[in-house]
Amino acid sequence: MRSLVFLLLVALASAKIYDRCEWARVLKSYGMDGYHGYSLDNWVCLSKWESDYNTAATHYNYYDGSTDYGIFQINSRYWCNNGQTPNAVNACHISCSELLTDDVSVAINCAKRVVGDPNGIAAWVAWRLHCKGRDLSSYVAGCGV
């Protein structure tokens, strides 16, 4: 348990809060514009509403004992291993603490796996509530992407 707490503290020490355009450029550099048919503005909107572009964001889900991690709020029940969530699947084959650093490559690669799931980008509740069917052009406006 102490080692898990230590790892989380180390991860939080290297976390980052992106501004909107910086995050849009990072996502574009990782090939997210058009990934699985979703334009860049969808990914920026999703990240805004899930974590406010914060790589250190976490959210505990009381209903099932899982936790959401990082800039995409990737869930420990299905996608990562936090060593605490009962019956976890860990489909991205990563430790959840890897989602809490300023190295977003792990989070982006796992998000690519999530969006490949049958639910697609709708796997994220925040996308369904705040982004789906809306004009999202403001999320990338003025970013030069």
Side-chain angles (χ1 to χ4, degrees), residues 20-22 24-26 28 33 40 137 139-145:
R20 177 180 58 85
C21 286
E22 179 186 19
R25 288 188 292 274
V26 168
K28 187 168 179 84
D33 191 12
L40 191 60
S137 59
Y139 286 93
V140 294
C143 296
V145 291

Side-chain angles (χ1 to χ4, degrees), residues 1-134:
M1 182 65 170
R2 278 190 227 174
S3 61
L4 177 61
V5 171
F6 175 75
L7 287 173
L8 286 174
L9 288 175
V10 169
L12 292 175
S14 63
K16 179 173 176 73
I17 300 173
Y18 286 87
D19 72 38
R20 177 180 58 85
C21 286
E22 179 186 19
W23 182 236
R25 288 188 292 274
V26 168
L27 288 169
K28 187 168 179 84
S29 74
Y30 278 91
M32 295 301 278
D33 191 12
Y35 191 81
H36 255 270
Y38 297 102
S39 59
L40 191 60
D41 50 7
N42 278 278
W43 293 104
V44 177
C45 179
L46 179 157
S47 304
K48 167 64 179 166
W49 291 100
E50 285 289 355
S51 68
D52 205 17
Y53 312 123
N54 184 353
T55 64
T58 60
H59 175 72
Y60 181 75
N61 301 298
Y62 291 97
Y63 64 90
D64 71 353
S66 68
T67 302
D68 302 323
Y69 291 89
I71 201 158
F72 291 112
Q73 290 294 277
I74 291 172
N75 186 267
S76 64
R77 162 100 31 233
Y78 304 104
W79 305 104
C80 65
N81 179 15
N82 66 2
Q84 299 172 341
T85 303
N87 305 313
V89 176
N90 193 10
C92 287
H93 309 291
I94 57 171
S95 168
C96 296
S97 64
E98 293 178 75
L99 299 167
L100 299 175
T101 72
D102 64 354
D103 176 6
V104 294
S105 63
V106 173
I108 290 172
N109 287 331
C110 188
K112 286 179 175 180
R113 187 168 187 127
V114 173
V115 79
D117 193 63
N119 291 323
I121 205 167
W124 283 278
V125 173
W127 181 85
R128 292 192 316 262
L129 294 176
H130 301 283
C131 310
K132 182 180 180 182
R134 299 183 185 204

